[in-house]
Structures are given as C-alpha cells and as structure tokens.
Amino acid sequence: MSRTAPLLLAHSTEPWSVSPPNAMWYDALKYIAKHKDISTFPKGLLVDADPYTYTICDGYPKAQYHFLILPRIPFYVNYNEERTEVPESDMESISTLLKSRFARDILRRISDARDRLVVRIHESMKQSRVRPDGAYAYYPESEADWGHTVWGVQSGFHNVPSMRHLHLHVISTDLVSQRLKRKKHYLSFHPGVEYWLPMEQAQQWVDQGRTQLPHAPEYYESLLEGPFVALDGMPKTFSDLPEVKYYLKQRFSRVSSQQRMSDNRK
C-alpha cells in the first residue's frame, strides 16, 4: 500500500485568517464561501472543493481531525426546471436553512462532500499512530509503523453557531486537542448534548418538512453550562475540564492499544 498525502492532524493545523481588512471574525466563513480563486487560499486551509462546496481545516481543531464543509456562494440549484440562485440568507445557519425551500438540495451537496471526506479521514487514520498515553496521533516515517486502525468520525451542525454561514463540522470522536480549552468546546461537540445536531437528524427534519428548531437559541446556549458528561453513553460526570481532558486521553489510548495488538498479529 503506497502512502497518499494524509490529512492534517490537530497539532499540525495553524489558525487561518482570510477575512478582508476590518471584517468581523464571525463572517470569515462567508468570505471563504465567496472565494472564486482557490489559489489565493492560505496553504493548508483547503481540503476539497467541488462546484457546490468547500471543505477546509478548522483553524482551532477540537479533535485530532476536524474539518468544516461550507456551501459555496453563489449556490445554484435546479428549481422548477430553472437554474436558481439560493439567497445567502438561507445559508446563514442550520436554523435559516430549515426555512429554505432549497434545504434538501444544499444538504445533499454537503453530504456528498462529507462522504468523500470521511473516506480520506479513515485513510489518514490508518497511516497514523496514537501515542500510548493518548496525548495525540502522529504520522510515522515508515509505512511499517502505520497503525492500520480507524476510530470514530461524527458530522453535524451547532444549533447556535458562533460564526455566520452554514458549516458542517466533520470531526473525529476522540476530542483530544490542545485547543479544547473550555467547557463549551467539549459540550458543543458532545453527541449526547442537544447543542449538537447530527447531519442525519437535519436531513430527516428537512424530509419531514420541519421549518424550525425545536427550541429557542437560549435553550441550546444553556446546555453549554451543563455538567461534564462522559461520552459513549457512560453515566459518569466530571468535576472540571482537566479531569475531562485526562479522561479523553485515557479513552483515546485504547486506540493505541488496538494498534499494538495489531502489531503483534503481523
């Protein structure tokens, strides 16, 4: 098996800045979505592009693999047999998308990009190695040292996003990263906390004709003040963020154990 270029891991990702002068930070994704010349993107930002979406590295990854998929502006769909431009306002967030008559088409294109990305993440995971203490993953120099192991990947939206313009998070489920520094960083990506809306749930709501989120923004924001709940459905809570981060490393170290077991079977 030959080595293809793996995706960037969290510790290799640099914060990016592509906004025009005097622009607000929360409009950076909209600015990226409007780009027509991908050669002007900062090195390492763009992961994938098609006529409908850009896939980029999250500048502040909250896990070993963390990417964003954005619908491009302008975004065109075939509606009533005519090529129609989707209003930018329809793509502000998942909340505005649910009200859009174009929601199904947009989610379908994002889903196509997500599926391609997950394949690449899995290929990159197989080339990586996880430290025995679960502190991070890295890419060994020799193919003989590859881990040949994959772990979980989840994709979803934040019901109350911090940045404007719709973006799907595609993130590995380890949640091990030096940039996971606050309670809200952990809880906002916790699949058991309603702040996180899985892609499949969003698609189901659109198919059902739902046009708004079940709760007001204040409800979702309050969830980020909730308890530090363990992942994987475990009935356990933690007292503070350092305890959570220790737990996440211990949890991630199991991947390293699986890799060592695979080594012994070679």
Side-chain angles (χ1 to χ4, degrees), residues 34-186:
K34 291 181 177 181
H35 258 61
K36 292 180 173 60
D37 182 3
I38 62 175
S39 68
T40 63
F41 282 139
K43 182 180 179 181
L45 171 67
L46 187 67
V47 174
D48 187 25
D50 63 36
Y52 302 96
T53 64
Y54 284 139
T55 299
I56 63 173
C57 290
D58 191 296
Y60 296 88
K62 304 305 187 294
Q64 292 299 286
Y65 295 96
H66 189 179
F67 307 95
L68 307 177
I69 301 177
L70 327 174
R72 294 175 64 168
I73 299 173
F75 190 103
Y76 293 99
V77 300
N78 291 321
Y79 191 78
N80 291 336
E81 300 183 356
E82 292 185 1
R83 189 169 185 259
T84 304
E85 182 178 347
V86 176
E88 286 185 33
S89 58
D90 286 18
M91 299 184 290
E92 282 284 306
S93 66
I94 189 61
S95 181
T96 63
L97 184 72
L98 289 174
K99 298 178 176 67
S100 173
R101 57 180 172 166
F102 308 112
R104 182 176 287 106
D105 296 284
I106 295 170
L107 288 181
R108 177 167 58 88
R109 297 299 185 181
I110 292 175
S111 180
D112 290 344
R114 186 271 310 268
D115 292 345
R116 293 195 304 271
L117 177 61
V118 170
V119 170
R120 291 184 63 186
I121 293 174
H122 284 164
E123 291 174 347
S124 297
M125 286 176 171
K126 291 175 183 177
Q127 296 181 31
S128 75
R129 197 86 194 180
V130 177
R131 277 176 49 111
D133 62 358
Y136 58 84
Y138 63 96
Y139 294 120
E141 290 294 328
S142 171
E143 182 177 339
D145 296 324
W146 289 4
H148 299 286
T149 306
V150 300
W151 57 98
V153 178
Q154 64 187 37
S155 59
F157 303 96
H158 284 156
N159 280 320
V160 184
S162 58
M163 301 184 74
R164 295 202 297 184
H165 193 61
L166 184 72
H167 53 284
L168 179 76
H169 292 272
V170 183
I171 183 170
S172 55
T173 56
D174 50 86
L175 297 186
V176 171
S177 172
Q178 292 183 345
R179 294 187 175 98
L180 195 148
K181 298 179 178 180
R182 300 182 182 181
K183 187 177 193 178
K184 67 178 184 180
H185 293 162
Y186 175 69

